[in-house]
Amino acid sequence: MNAQVDFSDVQGLVRFGYKRMTKAHYDLLQVKDAGAAREWLRQAPVTPAETRDPPPKTALQVAFTVEGIRALGTDESIIEGFSHEFRSGMAASFKARQLGDTGKNAPENWEWGGPGKEPHLLVMLFGEPDVFEDFLSAQTGGLYQQAFELQACLDTADLDGVEPFGFADGISQPKIDWEQKKKSREIVYTYENLSALGEFLLGYPNEYGNLTRRPLVDDNALSSSLDPAPEDPRKRDLGRNGTYLVLRQLDQDVRKFWDFIRKQTGSEDPDADGLAAAMVGRHRDGSPLVKPSGQGDDDNNFNFDADPEGHQCPFGAHVRRANPRNADYPERPRNIFRKLLVTLGFGTPGFRDDVMSSVRFHRILRRGREYGSELKPEDAKGPPPADEPPRGLHFICLNANICRQFEFIQNAWLNSTKFAAMTGERDPLVGNHEPPAGCPVANHFNRPGKDGLRQRVTGLETFVTVRGGAYFFLPGLRALRYLAGP
Ligand code: HEM
């Protein structure tokens, strides 16, 4: 019997997108005075994931990089318990090629998060417009100023659910199995959106039925408020109810994107030819290119079964790469007798029986927000005026295993030139199309058509540039107080 989730110990962002709180502001901080920082953390009114009536109008969330945890004086033996990718950080030199962070996107060019510019803390403040400014000044004055040095301040914009290129965003999210009813290790024959709790919250079984690596600490007076570790009752679980948060500041060149589309289609109409929608995999209003297969008009109730050749939604489209649902699996067990035997528990299930294995281990919970002002596709033309502020996406995702979830999607799906047996392509929307040193150019986008014909778009430019990024640990509330010390 799995333990119920104690929502009072989980930071709210794991459960809610705080969409009603249309104002949001993220501070990237360095610890200036460790004593004051610990004191601020002990008393910070971090918002839990409990539901309240009436719901809160503001929320405060706190996450740490590995350097931040170190700066609070945490013992190295505890830090060792965090995952390797969290400890090495997003800007580690060996990650650059994997994540597409080369050329202009290289960490050396980032405004924050690159070598020598790693933040310690991420403090996220959300609020409804009428109360936000007061909340912001109340939380960030006094002790906060004494404890931290502000490294960067990331403002966000409310573009009403539309990302800067002009497409509805935040539609497809995995459904978290909070009640832990989903059987792990189950053979899955159809795409489903329900993900094991342990994919997003540490300390619970993940899609493999295992507990993801996380720090366990000695059982003593300081750790007594933490839950005992399920796998070792002599230890307390510092990771439980926490997760990892990936933040990437992604500048979007909206003018370059729509100029490219206009040049390719030869039309002033942003929707002409559907090229932009084909690159995303959805129309601008969010409706999918593949018709939803289920009942109702749920824009997320579809898979790629009805489009095995990529005629409706190209294989290279952003959403098909970011979540291939059941599309990238070439050889599914079509033999009904075999399917039945495996389901009934006869015969050893092989890798090829679990048709969803390639997808269900690589889901992320997206919690990003846009920045900059709106520029409608029809107005996005020509070079920007000299003083035009940047616009883009503060991409945020939550996952229990950065390597298997975020990094896999970024590397093996979005950035891979071999995804779905294609060649010479990366994600047309977010890919880095400047080839890394020694690699061939991969700036094409293919739209398979009926009768084996395909439209090949060449010379794709890089529309998204990385401006900063880091991996954070978003602890449970009791773990946060533990890190703050006695
Ligand atoms: C500026 C950069 C980006 C833009 C403009 C962008 C835009 C979009 C849009 C318009 C959608 C479709 C709407 C939706 O389902 O919410 C989408 C879906 C998605 N994106 Fe991105 N995205 C960006 C970066 C990324 C990155 C870096 C990742 C992961 C590493 C990612 C992962 C996903 C995922 C997982 C989905 C949902 C796919 C599905 O389940 O159907 N995106 N994105």
Side-chain angles (χ1 to χ4, degrees):
M1 171 84 178
N2 290 316
Q4 271 193 336
V5 180
D6 173 5
F7 286 122
S8 68
D9 192 43
V10 179
Q11 294 203 44
L13 196 63
V14 184
R15 196 171 176 206
F16 310 113
Y18 291 134
K19 285 197 177 161
R20 264 184 317 106
M21 301 182 197
T22 50
K23 295 271 184 190
H25 172 103
Y26 310 144
D27 275 350
L28 292 163
L29 306 168
Q30 294 270 341
V31 172
K32 186 162 71 174
D33 172 341
R38 284 194 292 265
E39 197 182 329
W40 184 82
L41 288 165
R42 278 194 292 273
Q43 57 169 50
V46 177
T47 315
E50 286 161 315
T51 44
R52 289 185 192 160
D53 192 16
K57 290 179 88 137
T58 57
L60 172 74
Q61 307 283 274
V62 180
F64 304 85
T65 60
V66 69
E67 288 310 327
I69 294 179
R70 228 172 237 135
L72 295 175
T74 310
D75 202 88
E76 280 303 312
S77 63
I78 296 176
I79 291 176
E80 281 289 300
F82 286 100
S83 68
H84 180 259
E85 53 287 1
F86 172 70
R87 284 182 287 129
S88 45
M90 187 188 282
S93 54
F94 62 90
K95 294 243 179 265
R97 274 196 176 211
Q98 203 187 342
L99 300 179
D101 295 342
T102 53
K104 264 205 300 190
N105 280 0
E108 292 69 36
N109 302 326
W110 294 357
E111 284 158 20
W112 61 270
K117 294 190 208 158
E118 296 94 347
H120 287 167
L121 252 79
L122 167 68
V123 171
M124 311 172 83
L125 299 118
F126 302 88
E128 292 185 20
D130 55 327
V131 290
F132 183 67
E133 290 307 324
D134 286 349
F135 177 64
L136 187 64
S137 40
Q139 296 309 322
T140 56
L143 190 58
Y144 188 87
Q145 307 264 337
Q146 188 190 327
F148 307 113
E149 193 170 295
L150 186 64
Q151 192 189 18
C153 158
L154 309 183
D155 268 317
T156 69
D158 173 25
L159 302 184
D160 205 14
V162 175
E163 54 72 36
F165 289 138
F167 289 82
D169 200 4
I171 300 168
S172 173
Q173 294 281 18
K175 191 167 181 293
I176 305 180
D177 182 21
W178 290 106
E179 278 144 31
Q180 303 170 72
K181 289 199 171 135
K182 191 176 175 183
K183 286 194 205 121
S184 33
R185 293 170 203 274
E186 200 178 38
I187 303 283
V188 184
Y189 280 110
T190 48
Y191 171 75
E192 65 166 7
N193 205 26
L194 191 69
S195 281
L197 179 61
E199 292 294 297
F200 302 105
L201 213 54
L202 292 162
Y204 302 88
N206 56 25
E207 282 287 335
Y208 290 99
N210 298 331
L211 298 167
T212 304
R213 182 194 165 115
R214 66 218 184 278
L216 307 180
V217 297
D218 289 337
D219 187 0
N220 55 32
L222 182 60
S223 66
S224 60
S225 68
L226 301 174
D227 289 330
E231 63 269 68
D232 184 353
R234 291 163 306 164
K235 296 275 186 183
R236 297 272 166 173
D237 197 338
L238 184 64
R240 192 176 175 91
N241 294 330
T243 189
Y244 291 107
L245 182 152
V246 175
L247 169 60
R248 271 162 93 75
Q249 181 178 348
L250 304 175
D251 262 14
Q252 293 176 240
D253 195 332
V254 178
R255 291 172 187 275
K256 198 196 260 184
F257 178 76
W258 287 109
D259 276 342
F260 180 82
I261 300 289
R262 270 190 289 268
K263 203 164 95 198
Q264 293 296 323
T265 59
S267 168
E268 282 294 307
D269 174 1
D271 296 322
D273 181 30
L275 174 61
M279 285 160 74
V280 174
R282 287 186 185 264
H283 296 284
R284 278 167 57 205
D285 66 2
S287 53
L289 297 192
V290 169
K291 287 215 168 27
S293 43
Q295 304 286 311
D297 56 358
D298 178 353
D299 273 349
N300 207 26
N301 195 358
F302 69 93
N303 59 39
F304 296 107
D305 262 353
D307 187 29
E309 314 290 337
H311 294 158
Q312 296 170 46
C313 179
F315 297 113
H318 176 64
V319 304
R320 197 157 178 168
R321 281 181 174 261
N323 179 11
R325 299 179 187 229
N326 52 359
D328 77 332
Y329 197 81
E331 221 181 283
R332 308 229 204 105
R334 301 204 184 275
N335 181 330
I336 293 179
F337 183 61
R338 163 113 186 106
K339 211 165 157 178
L340 190 70
L341 277 182
V342 173
T343 310
L344 293 174
F346 301 105
T348 319
F351 172 71
R352 292 194 178 271
D353 290 312
D354 186 348
V355 294
M356 297 319 304
S357 62
S358 60
V359 172
R360 67 192 176 108
F361 302 122
H362 313 295
R363 304 296 312 274
I364 49 175
L365 202 56
R366 289 174 300 141
R367 291 286 188 247
R369 296 227 174 182
E370 292 78 28
Y371 60 91
S373 58
E374 183 187 15
L375 181 64
K376 290 209 173 345
E378 43 279 21
D379 301 328
K381 286 182 190 160
D387 53 352
E388 188 170 67
R391 48 175 64 85
L393 181 69
H394 291 309
F395 172 86
I396 291 180
C397 76
L398 305 178
N399 47 189
N401 186 326
I402 299 175
C403 174
R404 175 165 64 74
Q405 295 170 265
F406 164 72
E407 287 186 348
F408 184 95
I409 297 177
Q410 177 74 19
N411 170 39
W413 287 348
L414 301 188
N415 209 32
S416 168
T417 53
K418 307 228 161 47
F419 176 80
M422 295 183 295
T423 48
E425 295 193 29
R426 295 181 202 278
D427 187 296
L429 193 72
V430 307
N432 181 354
H433 299 295
E434 268 179 69
C439 292
V441 177
N443 60 2
H444 310 307
F445 174 58
N446 284 302
R447 294 168 77 184
K450 297 230 163 72
D451 308 322
L453 295 172
R454 61 175 182 172
Q455 184 198 352
R456 187 173 172 85
V457 177
T458 56
L460 246 72
E461 297 178 56
T462 301
F463 306 115
V464 170
T465 309
V466 188
R467 291 283 176 230
Y471 293 148
F472 297 87
F473 173 55
L474 185 86
L477 270 74
R478 284 181 266 132
L480 190 143
R481 309 293 181 218
Y482 174 90
L483 291 171

